[in-house]
Amino acid sequence: MRGKGAGRPGGARIRRLVPTLVERTGIRTGLRWKLSTAIALVGALVAVALSLVVHNAARVSMLDNARDLADARLRIAQRNYELSSRPNFPNVKIDDPELPAELRKKVEQGRRATYVGEGLGGGAPDIWAAVPLKDGHVMSLRARFTSTDILDDLDQALVIGSIAVVLGGSALGVLIGAQLSRRLRKAAAAANRVAKGETDVRVREAIGGVVRDETDDLARAVDAMADALKQRLEAERRVTADIAHELRTPVTGLLTAAELLPPGRPTELVLDRAKAMRTLVEDVLEVARLDGASERAELQDILLGEFVTRRVAAKDPDAEVVVVHESEVTTDPRRLERVLFNLLANASRHGRGPVEVTVEGRVIRVRDHGPGFPEHLLAEGPSRFRTGSKDRAGRGHGLGLTIAAGQARVLGARLTFRNVRPPGAPEHAPAEGASAVLWLPEHAPTNTGSYPMLPVREGRR
């Protein structure tokens, strides 16, 4: 005999093994299939339970009818025996030695009784009826239960009905789950668009439909959260812009006054700090404008390789420029120059030479040979006022890459960052440099949250 807890360790192992296998194989079950499976399982359980109840109830009813019929036939046989003093009814015997012991006990107590006995070989049961006679003998009747075919037909009908219920429940679960899953997918897509900065998107309008359920409550909650977050971010942006704008005048005055001081080391220090403060104020204002998503790209057609070569030569003559493949692009030269200069400044300030700039089609790569980008930047992207690890910190205010990413977004471009390691080197191996890659779009930026302004050309209206 096994104890109560004998099967628990194996069951616990199975419960731990199933999620592990699902996770390793990457199996993803949709809501429609989960709902369909749940409805199918519930339908199957209900169908099995009802089938058992109906089968047992029908069997009991048929057995009761058979026992009543045997008792009625025994009454007739008893009257005939009392009139003729001999049994003259089919299947009726006097003092039958095969009479079941339980039925015999009841008859010996002077009671008329019926009994359902086991059939031969596990077949149809026998129906017994017995009654005590006035002469002290026992009259009994034995009949075969003949309704097994009816029970078999009933069981077959119950099985077919149960299968139909399970299939119908599964189909209903798929339909209901598909509708709910479709609404949730639309809500997720709309929420992702909101997360990307499309503030005019509303999740409730995106899911649509006339059915009002919990997805509508979720959509309204997400829309309310997006509106509150938008208002808060806008308020913070306005405060930042107002502070930077108010600081511009006194900083300009401070810089002008510093230029009037007599030459000397103290004057140079004051001028250097005043210029740094002015640069910081201008950068903060630019970040505030980029956060407002109201910047517009003024597009022009340029040769990318020639443009980058001239701008890099003016900004950092020591940087190496390689044009692998020249291409003509439609972009905003001023914003592209801003992105390029910020990447060059970051490479020169935080990395080590030589700084290499490569132009290949619509892709610009800026690489240095320093300690690489910090892990938080690779994982989360540029963060304002966060200058990175100790190896890349100590100078600057952390807005250069933030501005570069914002200007790239206005251009419809994609700016990525990675660390350069030797081929086959593990992730924890020291980096041999940092590489920033600007991917310009194939077409003019029209889906970036900005409103590009194409230059007016002659003959165009």
Side-chain angles (χ1 to χ4, degrees):
M1 290 291 289
R2 292 190 301 173
K4 290 183 178 181
R8 291 181 181 176
R13 285 194 296 269
I14 293 176
R15 287 192 297 271
R16 291 193 300 268
L17 181 60
V18 171
T20 304
L21 290 176
V22 171
E23 181 179 359
R24 289 182 177 178
T25 55
I27 298 176
R28 180 182 177 186
T29 55
L31 182 62
R32 68 172 69 182
W33 303 116
K34 292 179 180 179
L35 187 59
S36 174
T37 303
I39 293 179
L41 289 177
V42 173
L45 292 176
V46 172
V48 170
L50 289 179
S51 298
L52 293 176
V53 171
V54 171
H55 173 85
N56 291 332
R59 188 174 185 276
V60 170
S61 177
M62 290 179 182
L63 288 175
D64 289 342
N65 292 335
R67 294 170 71 171
D68 293 340
L69 178 61
D71 183 68
R73 295 173 64 185
L74 185 62
R75 289 175 182 271
I76 297 174
Q78 181 183 4
R79 286 197 297 269
N80 292 340
Y81 180 83
E82 291 175 352
L83 293 175
S84 60
S85 298
R86 59 186 181 84
N88 57 0
F89 202 86
N91 299 325
V92 171
K93 294 182 179 180
I94 304 297
D95 297 331
D96 189 350
E98 297 182 1
L99 189 68
E102 296 182 5
L103 181 59
R104 185 182 299 277
K105 291 180 180 180
K106 293 182 179 180
V107 174
E108 290 176 353
Q109 296 175 0
R111 299 168 54 188
R112 177 189 302 274
T114 58
Y115 181 80
V116 178
E118 295 292 336
L120 296 176
D126 293 331
I127 307 299
W128 291 86
V131 61
L133 298 176
K134 296 179 180 180
D135 55 6
H137 295 285
V138 176
M139 176 180 287
S140 62
L141 183 145
R142 182 180 183 180
R144 182 73 63 182
F145 182 68
T146 59
S147 299
T148 54
D149 294 338
I150 299 177
L151 279 178
D152 292 340
D153 293 339
L154 177 62
D155 291 341
Q156 184 178 2
L158 291 175
V159 170
I160 295 174
S162 299
I163 295 175
V165 168
V166 172
L167 294 179
S170 301
L172 181 62
V174 170
L175 293 177
I176 297 176
Q179 181 182 8
L180 183 59
S181 178
R182 182 168 56 252
R183 289 166 63 84
L184 290 176
R185 285 198 303 269
K186 290 181 179 180
N192 287 331
R193 292 173 60 190
V194 173
K196 293 179 181 178
E198 300 183 31
T199 56
D200 58 337
V201 176
R202 290 295 175 268
V203 179
R204 179 63 190 84
E205 297 176 0
I207 62 177
V210 297
V211 179
R212 297 294 180 263
D213 52 19
E214 287 77 4
T215 55
D216 293 88
D217 299 335
L218 175 62
R220 291 191 182 93
V222 173
D223 289 339
M225 180 183 65
D227 291 337
L229 183 60
K230 177 183 176 182
Q231 294 174 1
R232 181 174 179 179
L233 292 177
E234 181 63 23
E236 293 179 356
R237 187 193 66 82
R238 285 198 304 267
V239 170
T240 302
D242 292 343
I243 293 175
H245 188 272
E246 292 299 325
L247 286 175
R248 175 187 288 180
T249 301
V251 168
T252 303
L254 178 62
L255 183 60
T256 303
E259 292 175 349
L260 299 177
L261 294 174
R265 183 58 180 169
T267 300
E268 293 178 0
L269 293 176
V270 172
L271 282 174
D272 180 70
R273 293 300 87 193
K275 290 179 181 179
M277 186 176 295
R278 182 179 62 180
T279 301
L280 175 59
V281 171
E282 295 296 336
D283 288 348
V284 171
L285 281 174
E286 186 172 358
V287 170
R289 288 194 299 268
L290 292 172
D291 287 344
S294 59
E295 293 289 282
R296 300 184 179 186
E298 300 179 1
L299 304 178
Q300 296 180 16
D301 294 333
I302 62 172
L303 292 176
L304 186 60
E306 179 185 349
F307 176 86
V308 171
T309 300
R310 287 189 283 109
R311 294 304 190 273
V312 172
K315 177 67 175 177
D316 187 359
D318 295 331
E320 301 177 6
V321 180
V322 178
V323 179
V324 178
H325 174 66
E326 181 65 277
S327 64
E328 184 178 1
V329 298
T330 302
T331 187
D332 187 331
R334 180 180 64 85
R335 298 184 187 278
L336 179 59
E337 180 184 86
R338 179 67 162 151
V339 175
L340 183 60
F341 282 3
N342 280 19
L343 295 180
L344 288 173
N346 183 81
S348 300
R349 181 180 299 146
H350 300 295
R352 287 193 298 266
V355 176
E356 301 172 355
V357 181
T358 305
V359 180
E360 184 174 358
R362 297 176 177 272
V363 180
I364 303 174
R365 293 180 175 86
V366 178
R367 182 199 169 176
D368 62 54
H369 291 76
F373 290 115
E375 294 300 327
H376 75 82
L377 188 144
L378 298 177
E380 305 170 6
S383 300
R384 61 195 64 179
F385 301 110
R386 190 172 182 181
T387 56
S389 64
K390 295 180 180 180
D391 293 335
R392 299 179 65 90
R395 294 167 303 203
H397 41 71
L399 293 180
L401 293 182
T402 302
I403 293 174
Q407 295 290 6
R409 185 170 58 251
V410 176
L411 294 176
R414 184 164 57 97
L415 183 59
T416 61
F417 306 91
R418 69 180 184 88
N419 288 335
V420 180
R421 291 184 172 85
E427 289 294 329
H428 57 79
E432 294 183 348
S435 177
V437 185
L438 180 67
W439 310 75
L440 291 175
E442 183 177 356
H443 304 287
T446 57
N447 190 25
T448 62
S450 63
Y451 301 90
M453 299 170 58
L454 290 173
V456 179
R457 299 178 180 176
E458 294 183 3
R460 179 182 291 184
R461 296 290 182 181

